[in-house]
Amino acid sequence: MTPTRHFFRRPRTVSPSEARVLAASGALIVDVRGMREWRRHHIPGSVLIPLAQLEERMDELPADRMLITFCTGGLLSSGAANLLAEFGYDAANMTRGLVGWRSTGGELVEGDALS
């Protein structure tokens, strides 16, 4: 079980605009929402690891790339970024989540496709 301390500290953050630039430079965007939200729409090139599975699946993530976590509004992904940072990953939370990504013109994939 993930300790609650991950949800109360403030992680390093990047704006949605910064996240787009960082992703173009090799950062990996990690979607910590659930499968239902992912299937509705997600960020192209992002990987889905729901927050509840993150600790047990983090070894699937590259240790040599920056990881940018996001959810719908940024709250759950904040805890995810903290958890990843505690385990030695270069991780940041995307502020305002998918809402912010959309508002800054970020592309979305719609439908069931898994990237």
Side-chain angles (χ1 to χ4, degrees):
M1 174 184 266
T2 303
T4 57
R5 70 178 178 267
H6 302 296
F7 298 99
F8 295 114
R9 289 194 353 220
R10 296 195 126 201
R12 180 170 139 208
T13 62
V14 295
S15 72
S17 297
E18 292 169 315
R20 287 203 322 263
V21 170
L22 290 165
S25 299
L28 179 64
I29 298 180
V30 181
D31 189 335
V32 299
R33 300 173 305 150
M35 180 60 79
R36 183 174 37 199
E37 292 90 359
W38 169 273
R39 285 189 171 146
R40 204 170 309 137
H41 47 258
H42 56 275
I43 295 172
S46 63
V47 297
L48 173 66
I49 301 182
L51 180 60
Q53 300 172 11
L54 185 60
E55 192 164 2
E56 66 193 41
R57 293 183 54 198
M58 70 175 61
D59 61 336
E60 297 173 25
L61 297 169
D64 61 346
R65 293 170 67 184
M66 180 182 190
L67 304 175
I68 301 170
T69 61
F70 85 94
C71 59
T72 301
L75 182 61
L76 295 178
S77 57
S78 175
N82 276 334
L83 178 63
L84 290 168
E86 278 193 19
F87 279 88
Y89 290 89
D90 178 13
N93 179 45
M94 183 172 67
T95 58
R96 299 178 43 228
L98 195 62
V99 172
W101 180 268
R102 262 195 231 170
S103 72
T104 61
E107 291 183 47
L108 292 176
V109 174
E110 295 189 22
D112 288 346
L114 289 174
S115 299

